Amino acid sequence: MSGGTDSTKGALRDIRQTGELILPSRRTFGHALNGPIGRCTKALIHSIPGEEQDAGLLIPDDIKSRIEYLFNAPGEGADHAVAIAASNLNWLMFVDPVWTKEHLIPMLVFDNPVSEPAWNGFLHDRNGPSNPVVRLIKPSLLELIPWLKRFSWEKELSIEAALWLGRMRIFKIDEEGGLCRGEMRPVLRSMSDETRNRFIAWLGFVGQKEDNGWAKYIIPLINEDWPRERRYRTLASAKAWIGLLGETGDDFHRVYETVKTFLAPLETEYCPLYRFTREHGNKKPLTTIFPESTLDLMNRITPLSLTRPPLELQKVLALIEDVEPRLITDQRYLRLTDLVEKN
């Protein structure tokens, strides 16, 4: 501490591209792990007696006083101490809620000078905030994603924030530590297109993993909270929705009816359509199980003209003809067949 700012600097080097210095923030958990003050803070936290303390057992005063001392380290050392402490926020709240409320929770207020390293450290906890923490910081959580856009970090954490909120909405809806119906919609609006599309991919994971996940979790969230404005129906989001639909299995028709209004025309060669044309894991292609819903999907996402050979579209149409011949007179089938023949 007596060595000044140079002694507390993290060991990670600055990043350069084509000879020019790129300036991602050094106020991050990654830099803290590679700095002396961050390592000291981590050692202090690890020295708290017992890995499985009882709730409210309290952190020993000699450890708390040292952590507080490191919060005032010179240079970037203070930021590193904050980031490491915040990454353990849930556990610290569990073992010593009074001290944590007084010293750590205020750091998460956006206008606090150390809010950047505090949130960067906290977002490295993949479990998300515990219920006692949510009760104290929920207003900030709802505004977190647009606030994160101002920072240049070595790791993109907006998706972590999105998944935190998604789990709070899906698994803790209307609980004290969760989100209510409607609270997720402005959060989804505030996401970048890339973050929102990665969130869609995560919804697909939840739908597959959880028992009755599509009907119990995913369809209700989409019906109740997904933004309806046209500006959110981008080509990238359409691809994300098609990727999700490919994972739905026996629930394809129900999920498709829920998300079809969010689709947009795009070149089918850029779509993730392999689940519709190929067997996967001893499961038949979705087209052979749901030929009419698949036809409607292809009609909805296929533009009026194509610039590339529609190979995947041709495979889908051939499967539809094989399993449901009555559809070959459907106007949607005729339009798509005409496009294939022209190309």
Side-chain angles (χ1 to χ4, degrees), residues 2-241:
S2 64
T5 59
D6 288 341
S7 66
T8 63
K9 192 172 183 180
L12 290 182
R13 295 182 178 181
D14 292 326
I15 301 173
R16 293 182 178 273
Q17 190 174 62
T18 63
E20 294 187 8
L21 180 65
I22 300 175
L23 296 173
S25 174
R26 297 184 63 87
R27 310 180 73 190
T28 66
F29 180 75
H31 283 281
L33 289 176
N34 290 274
I37 300 300
R39 292 183 178 183
C40 286
T41 308
K42 185 176 180 180
L44 285 167
I45 292 174
H46 284 180
S47 71
I48 297 173
E51 288 296 323
E52 298 293 338
Q53 289 214 29
D54 294 331
L57 191 60
L58 305 184
I59 304 169
D61 288 339
D62 59 334
I63 294 178
K64 288 190 286 192
S65 64
R66 284 167 168 79
I67 294 175
E68 292 169 23
Y69 182 56
L70 295 180
F71 287 159
N72 295 297
E76 60 188 55
D79 292 335
H80 296 171
V82 168
I84 295 296
S87 70
N88 294 275
L89 177 60
N90 287 327
W91 186 67
L92 295 173
M93 174 66 82
F94 176 74
V95 297
D96 200 330
V98 174
W99 180 81
T100 304
K101 288 178 186 177
E102 180 181 354
H103 290 88
L104 296 185
I105 295 297
M107 294 177 176
L108 297 174
V109 177
F110 291 157
D111 58 4
N112 190 302
V114 295
S115 58
E116 180 186 352
W119 276 106
N120 187 280
F122 191 26
L123 284 165
H124 278 79
D125 186 339
R126 291 185 174 272
N127 294 320
S130 63
N131 288 0
V133 173
V134 171
R135 287 196 292 270
L136 298 172
I137 68 168
K138 186 175 179 179
S140 295
L141 283 169
L142 294 175
E143 300 294 331
L144 179 59
I145 290 178
W147 183 75
L148 292 177
K149 294 177 182 178
R150 68 185 66 192
F151 301 116
S152 175
W153 290 341
E154 75 271 13
K155 180 180 178 181
E156 175 58 59
L157 293 176
S158 292
I159 186 59
E160 294 298 331
L163 298 190
W164 276 12
L165 292 158
R167 285 190 287 266
M168 290 167 61
R169 166 59 176 83
I170 288 177
F171 301 115
K172 298 182 179 181
I173 185 169
D174 296 330
E175 294 181 11
E176 192 173 20
L179 299 185
C180 302
R181 289 171 175 82
E183 286 186 319
M184 193 67 191
R185 182 168 292 185
V187 172
L188 289 163
R189 289 188 178 117
S190 71
M191 295 178 188
S192 67
D193 196 38
E194 179 181 359
T195 298
R196 197 162 41 248
N197 295 338
R198 291 180 66 183
F199 186 81
I200 292 171
W202 177 75
L203 292 180
F205 172 77
V206 173
Q208 294 177 81
K209 181 181 177 182
E210 300 295 327
D211 290 339
N212 200 27
W214 298 104
K216 186 176 180 180
Y217 299 119
I218 306 308
I219 291 175
L221 181 146
I222 296 170
N223 282 334
E224 295 166 7
D225 284 343
W226 204 267
R228 306 287 167 175
E229 295 88 339
R230 185 172 295 277
R231 66 177 177 271
Y232 300 114
R233 303 176 199 174
T234 64
L235 296 180
S237 71
K239 289 178 63 176
W241 285 120

